[in-house]
C-alpha cells in the first residue's frame, strides 16, 4: 500500500479540527437564523437575504482574486509575505472602498431606496469586513498554519451568535436594523483580533501602495478574480432575482431552505481551502494521491447528510411556528431539491479546487461563465411563474453543468486521471444507504433521531465495506489528533 505523503497525517488532523469547530458553531447559528426569520417574517427576511446576496455578488470587486492568489503565492514563495504582502494589503484596502460605492450604486439601479439602501450599506460593511478577514486568514493558510486558521474560521460566527442571542432575549430588540448592526460589530471585532494574531505570528502588518507592484499583482490574480466574480454571480444571483421577479416572501421561503444547504456546504467550504493550499504547494507526484483523498474526505459525510434530508428533511423546520403548513411544505420541497446540489458538489467540487490551484483558473472561469448565463436565462423564464421552486431547480441544472465541465477539464487538460473507482464506490455507498433507509421506513415507524442514529451506524458499515475509508487511514487520523 502506498505510504501517505509527508505531513499528510498532520493535514488530516487539521481538517478534523476545522470540521469539528464548524460543527460546534454552525448548527447553532442556523437554528438561531431560523428563529430570526420566524420572528421577522418571511417577507422581511427575504428582503434581508436578497440584500445580502446582492452584497456578495458586488463585493467580489473588493477581492479581485487577491485572496486565492495570495494563498497560492504564500504557499509557494517563502518571502512573499515580507516582500509583496504590504502592496497586496494596501491594494485590498483601496478596493474595499471602491466596492462599497459600487454596491450602493447597484442597489439604487435595482430600485432600492431609503431605508432599504441603509440596510444595504450596513450589510455591505459587515460582509466587506468578513471578506477582508478571509483575506487576512489567507496568510495563515498559505504558511500552512491550518490549526490556527481552523479556530479563526468560526470566530466571527461565535461572536455574532452571542450578539444575536442577546437581541432575542430582549423583548422588541430584534429588528432588521439591530440585526444588521450586530453583524457589523462581530465582523469588526474579528478583524481587530486577526491583526493582533498576524503581528504575533509574522511581524508587523504593513500597507504600502506601489503602482508597478499593484499592476503585477492584479495581472497575476486576474484568473482568480474572474472565478470569484463568477462564483458569486452563480451562487447568489438567484436570491436577488427571486426577490425582484417574484416577491420578498418567495425569497424568504428560498432563504429558509437555502440556509440548510449553506450549512451543509460549510463543511465543503472548510475543507476545500485547505486542499487548495495543499494542492498549490504539492509536488506533481503528490497530486493524484491528494485528489483521491480529497474526493473521499469531501464526499463521505455529505452523502449521509443528503440522504437524511431526502428522507426526513421536513424536521429541520420545527422552529417555524408562525408559518402555515403550506409555507413549511414549500420550504421542504425547495430543501430537497437544493440538497441534490449538495450531492453533486460532494462528487465534483474538489476538481475545481485542483484545477484552480494548479494553473487552470481561466478555463474554470469559462465553464462558470456559461453556468451564469444559463442560470440567468432560466431565472428570467421560470421565476415569475414558479418562484422559489424555480430557483431551486435552476440551481441544480447549473451545478450539473459546471460539474460536467470540471470533469472534462480534468480529463483533457491535466495529466491526472479522473478517479473513476472512487466515484463508483461513492455512488455505490449512496445507493446502498438510500436503499436501506427506504426499506427501514417501509417496515417500522421510528422517531427521526432514532431512525437517523440507526442509519448512521448502517452507513458506517457501508463506508467500511466499500473501502471508502481504510483502517490504516483511520489509524493515521488518530495518530495525528493525538499529536
Amino acid at each position: 500500500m502506498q505510504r501517505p505523503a509527508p505531513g499528510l497525517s498532520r493535514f488530516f488532523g487539521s481538517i478534523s479540527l476545522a470540521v469539528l469547530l464548524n460543527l460546534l458553531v454552525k448548527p447553532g447559528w442556523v437554528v438561531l437564523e431560523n428563529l430570526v426569520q420566524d420572528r421577522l417574517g418571511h417577507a422581511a427576511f427575504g428582503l434581508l437575504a436578497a440584500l445580502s446576496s446582492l452584497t456578495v455578488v458586488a463585493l467580489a470587486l473588493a477581492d479581485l482574486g487577491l485572496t486565492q492568489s495570495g494563498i497560492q503565492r504564500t504557499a509557494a514563495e517563502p518571502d512573499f509575505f515580507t516582500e509583496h504582502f504590504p502592496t497586496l494589503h494596501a491594494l485590498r484596502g483601496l478596493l474595499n472602498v471602491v466596492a462599497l460605492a459600487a454596491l450602493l450604486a447597484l442597489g439604487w439601479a435595482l430600485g432600492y431606496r431609503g431605508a432599504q439602501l441603509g440596510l444595504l450599506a450596513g450589510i455591505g460593511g459587515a460582509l466587506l469586513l468578513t471578506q477582508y478577514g478571509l483575506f487576512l486568514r489567507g496568510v495563515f493558510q498559505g504558511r500552512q498554519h491550518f490549526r490556527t486558521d481552523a479556530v479563526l474560521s468560526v470566530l466571527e460566527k461565535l461572536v455574532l451568535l452571542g450578539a444575536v442571542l442577546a437581541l432575542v432575549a430582549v423583548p422588541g430588540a430584534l429588528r432588521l436594523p439591530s440585526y444588521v448592526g450586530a453583524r457589523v460589530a462581530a465582523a469588526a471585532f474579528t478583524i481587530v483580533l486577526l491583526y493582533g494574531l498576524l503581528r504575533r505570528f509574522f511581524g508587523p502588518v504593513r500597507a504600502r501602495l506601489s503602482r508597478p507592484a499593484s499592476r503585477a499583482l492584479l495581472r497575476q490574480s486576474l484568473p482568480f478574480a474572474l472565478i470569484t466574480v463568477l462564483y458569486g454571480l452563480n451562487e447568489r444571483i438567484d436570491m436577488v432575482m427571486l426577490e425582484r421577479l417574484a416577491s420578498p416572501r418567495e425569497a424568504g421561503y428560498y432563504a429558509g431552505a437555502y440556509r440548510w444547504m449553506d450549512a451543509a456546504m460549510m463543511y465543503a467550504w472548510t475543507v476545500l481551502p485547505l486542499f487548495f493550499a495543499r494542492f498549490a504547494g504539492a509536488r506533481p507526484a503528490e497530486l493524484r494521491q491528494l485528489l483521491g483523498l480529497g474526493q473521499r474526505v469531501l464526499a463521505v459525510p455529505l452523502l449521509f447528510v443528503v440522504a437524511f434530508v431526502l428522507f426526513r428533511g421536513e424536521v429541520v423546520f420545527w422552529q417555524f411556528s408562525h408559518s402555515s403548513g403550506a409555507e413549511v411544505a414549500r420550504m421542504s420541497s425547495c430543501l430537497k431539491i437544493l440538497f441534490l446540489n449538495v450531492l453533486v458538489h460532494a462528487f465534483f467540487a474538489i476538481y475545481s479546487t485542483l484545477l484552480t490551484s494548479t494553473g487552470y483558473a481561466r478555463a474554470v472561469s469559462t465553464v462558470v461563465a456559461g453556468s451564469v448565463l444559463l442560470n440567468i436565462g432560466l431565472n428570467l423564464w421560470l421565476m415569475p411563474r414558479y418562484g422559489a421552486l424555480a430557483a431551486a431547480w435552476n440551481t441544480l441544472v447549473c451545478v450539473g453543468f459546471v460539474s460536467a465541465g470540471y470533469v472534462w477539464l480534468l480529463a483533457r487538460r491535466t495529466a491526472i486521471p479522473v478517479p473513476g473507482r472512487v466515484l463508483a464506490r461513492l455512488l455505490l455507498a449512496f445507493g446502498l444507504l438510500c436503499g436501506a433507509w427506504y426499506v427501514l421506513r417501509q417496515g417500522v415507524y421510528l422517531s427521526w433521531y432514532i431512525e437517523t442514529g440507526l442509519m448512521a451506524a448502517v452507513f458506517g458499515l457501508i463506508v467500511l465495506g466499500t473501502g471508502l475509508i481504510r483502517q490504516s487511514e483511520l489509524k493515521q487520523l488518530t495518530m495525528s489528533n493525538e499529536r
Side-chain angles (χ1 to χ4, degrees), residues 211-462:
R211 286 188 179 183
S214 296
R215 283 196 295 268
L217 287 169
L218 285 173
R219 281 197 300 269
Q220 292 162 359
S221 68
L222 187 59
F224 298 105
L226 192 55
I227 283 182
T228 302
V229 173
L230 290 172
Y231 270 127
L233 280 170
N234 205 37
E235 293 182 7
R236 298 293 181 174
I237 199 171
D238 288 344
M239 197 76 72
V240 180
M241 295 184 71
L242 185 58
E243 192 266 342
R244 296 282 89 182
L245 294 174
S247 69
R249 184 171 294 276
E250 284 291 324
Y253 299 150
Y254 188 66
Y258 193 93
R259 179 181 307 121
W260 287 102
M261 186 190 81
D262 192 47
M265 288 304 298
M266 183 58 66
Y267 170 75
W269 308 144
T270 300
V271 169
L272 290 176
L274 302 181
F275 275 97
F276 181 92
R278 187 76 184 190
F279 286 147
R283 297 185 300 271
E286 288 183 276
L287 287 175
R288 183 179 300 188
Q289 183 183 5
L290 280 170
L291 179 60
L293 171 66
Q295 181 101 68
R296 291 177 289 132
V297 167
L298 179 64
V300 169
L302 292 178
L303 296 184
F304 182 79
V305 173
V306 172
F308 167 78
V309 168
L310 293 179
F311 285 98
R312 300 303 300 253
E314 69 281 352
V315 302
V316 304
F317 298 113
W318 59 275
Q319 290 175 279
F320 286 90
S321 57
H322 295 91
S323 299
S324 67
E327 289 176 322
V328 172
R330 192 164 183 82
M331 288 191 291
S332 297
S333 298
C334 290
L335 180 75
K336 294 183 180 184
I337 300 166
L338 286 172
F339 266 77
L340 295 177
N341 290 273
V342 176
L343 181 65
V344 178
H345 278 306
F347 289 137
F348 303 112
I350 192 72
Y351 299 168
S352 172
T353 302
L354 173 64
L355 290 163
T356 305
S357 64
T358 53
Y360 297 95
R362 197 177 300 274
V364 172
S365 297
T366 302
V367 173
V368 179
S371 174
V372 169
L373 294 176
L374 175 63
N375 194 22
I376 292 173
L378 290 173
N379 287 345
L380 290 171
W381 178 31
L382 298 173
M383 272 185 180
R385 183 174 181 181
Y386 299 105
L389 291 176
W393 280 114
N394 294 349
T395 301
L396 179 59
V397 171
C398 293
V399 168
F401 177 87
V402 295
S403 297
Y406 298 155
V407 173
W408 186 87
L409 287 173
L410 186 68
R412 294 297 185 92
R413 298 287 186 90
T414 74
I416 304 170
V418 176
R421 290 186 178 181
V422 176
L423 280 173
R425 289 178 180 180
L426 289 170
L427 284 169
L428 175 61
F430 185 68
L432 291 173
L433 172 62
C434 290
W437 210 316
Y438 176 80
V439 170
L440 176 64
R441 298 211 68 192
Q442 300 308 303
V444 293
Y445 176 80
L446 300 172
S447 297
W448 71 267
Y449 48 88
I450 297 176
E451 180 178 305
T452 303
L454 285 174
M455 293 313 303
V458 170
F459 186 56
L461 295 176
I462 290 172

Side-chain angles (χ1 to χ4, degrees), residues 74-94:
T74 303
E77 304 171 27
D79 298 329
F80 179 79
F81 180 79
T82 55
E83 293 184 8
H84 300 288
F85 188 79
T87 301
L88 193 67
H89 187 203
L91 182 61
R92 187 62 168 75
L94 179 62

Side-chain angles (χ1 to χ4, degrees), residues 33-301:
E33 272 207 322
N34 283 344
L35 179 61
V36 170
Q37 182 171 350
D38 186 56
R39 295 281 183 88
L40 295 177
H42 293 298
F45 200 90
L47 172 64
L48 177 68
L51 294 176
S52 298
S53 297
L54 179 63
T55 301
V56 171
V57 173
L59 294 191
L61 293 173
D63 187 73
L64 289 181
L66 295 175
T67 297
Q68 284 186 298
S69 178
I71 293 172
Q72 185 187 52
R73 293 194 62 186
T74 303
E77 304 171 27
D79 298 329
F80 179 79
F81 180 79
T82 55
E83 293 184 8
H84 300 288
F85 188 79
T87 301
L88 193 67
H89 187 203
L91 182 61
R92 187 62 168 75
L94 179 62
L95 288 172
N96 282 348
V97 178
V98 174
L100 185 58
L103 170 66
L104 294 177
L106 180 59
W108 179 274
L110 289 175
Y112 295 111
R113 298 288 187 272
Q116 293 178 337
L117 272 182
L119 287 172
L120 183 61
I123 294 168
L127 288 183
L128 262 177
L129 291 173
T130 299
Q131 198 178 66
Y132 189 52
L134 293 174
F135 167 74
L136 295 177
R137 280 175 48 204
V139 178
F140 292 95
Q141 294 174 13
R143 289 289 187 90
Q144 314 288 301
H145 288 266
F146 294 123
R147 291 177 184 266
T148 304
D149 179 66
V151 176
L152 294 174
S153 70
V154 300
L155 178 64
E156 183 182 333
K157 276 286 187 287
L158 193 60
V159 174
L160 185 53
L161 193 67
V164 177
L165 277 173
L167 290 175
V168 171
V170 178
L174 182 61
R175 299 178 181 275
L176 273 180
S178 60
Y179 179 69
V180 172
R183 290 171 66 167
V184 174
F189 173 83
T190 305
I191 291 298
V192 172
L193 185 60
L194 270 170
Y195 265 109
L197 289 174
L198 281 171
R199 287 181 62 87
R200 180 175 180 180
F201 277 85
F202 310 114
V205 185
R206 304 185 188 279
R208 181 180 63 250
L209 194 59
S210 166
R211 286 188 179 183
S214 296
R215 283 196 295 268
L217 287 169
L218 285 173
R219 281 197 300 269
Q220 292 162 359
S221 68
L222 187 59
F224 298 105
L226 192 55
I227 283 182
T228 302
V229 173
L230 290 172
Y231 270 127
L233 280 170
N234 205 37
E235 293 182 7
R236 298 293 181 174
I237 199 171
D238 288 344
M239 197 76 72
V240 180
M241 295 184 71
L242 185 58
E243 192 266 342
R244 296 282 89 182
L245 294 174
S247 69
R249 184 171 294 276
E250 284 291 324
Y253 299 150
Y254 188 66
Y258 193 93
R259 179 181 307 121
W260 287 102
M261 186 190 81
D262 192 47
M265 288 304 298
M266 183 58 66
Y267 170 75
W269 308 144
T270 300
V271 169
L272 290 176
L274 302 181
F275 275 97
F276 181 92
R278 187 76 184 190
F279 286 147
R283 297 185 300 271
E286 288 183 276
L287 287 175
R288 183 179 300 188
Q289 183 183 5
L290 280 170
L291 179 60
L293 171 66
Q295 181 101 68
R296 291 177 289 132
V297 167
L298 179 64
V300 169

